[in-house]
Amino acid sequence: MLVAQIIIKSSVDPTIKKITEKLYYKSKNLIEKNSLREYYSEQVESLQMNLKEKLEVIKKLNAENKTHVPVSYTHLRAHETPEHLVCRLLLEKKKKKKKKKK
């Protein structure tokens, strides 16, 4: 970069000066782009590491806490899908028929 600046300042021939200036600015832009690429790749890498660390912590917590927490029937019904509802209603209907037969 310094050599290009010296050539630009000391050059007598205007075509050499223009070519050198173009090369200088192109190389300067490339250096800036590469430094931005490096910066962003480092940022992405650190985010990926953070995610990996969080996943490891979650896995450890899940491995340590193998017990299931009991939830209420109302809580289960709150997450019921239409398919679950149909199945549950059919099972209840079947149970009622069995009780009437006895």
Side-chain angles (χ1 to χ4, degrees), residues 17-29:
K17 189 175 182 178
K18 283 182 183 178
I19 292 170
T20 311
E21 282 177 349
K22 284 182 182 179
L23 289 172
Y24 170 74
Y25 289 115
K26 281 185 180 180
S27 62
K28 189 177 177 183
N29 287 337

Side-chain angles (χ1 to χ4, degrees), residues 60-76:
K60 284 179 185 176
L61 289 173
N62 285 339
E64 291 170 3
N65 187 15
K66 290 185 179 179
T67 60
H68 297 284
V69 180
V71 294
S72 69
Y73 182 70
T74 309
H75 178 85
L76 290 174

Side-chain angles (χ1 to χ4, degrees), residues 22-99:
K22 284 182 182 179
L23 289 172
Y24 170 74
Y25 289 115
K26 281 185 180 180
S27 62
K28 189 177 177 183
N29 287 337
L30 284 174
I31 289 170
E32 288 173 2
K33 285 179 183 178
N34 284 336
S35 64
L36 282 174
R37 275 194 199 117
E38 288 174 12
Y39 170 76
Y40 285 119
S41 67
E42 288 172 6
Q43 293 297 317
V44 167
E45 196 173 300
S46 85
L47 286 172
Q48 287 174 340
M49 289 303 294
N50 288 340
L51 288 173
K52 286 178 183 176
E53 289 171 5
K54 286 178 184 177
L55 282 172
E56 287 176 19
V57 169
I58 290 170
K59 285 178 184 176
K60 284 179 185 176
L61 289 173
N62 285 339
E64 291 170 3
N65 187 15
K66 290 185 179 179
T67 60
H68 297 284
V69 180
V71 294
S72 69
Y73 182 70
T74 309
H75 178 85
L76 290 174
R77 294 273 307 272
H79 296 283
E80 198 169 48
T81 64
E83 292 82 14
H84 290 121
L85 180 63
V86 169
C87 289
R88 184 174 57 82
L89 293 174
L90 288 172
L91 287 171
E92 286 177 6
K93 188 176 179 182
K94 192 174 181 180
K95 283 182 185 177
K96 285 180 185 178
K97 283 184 181 179
K98 283 185 180 180
K99 284 183 182 179

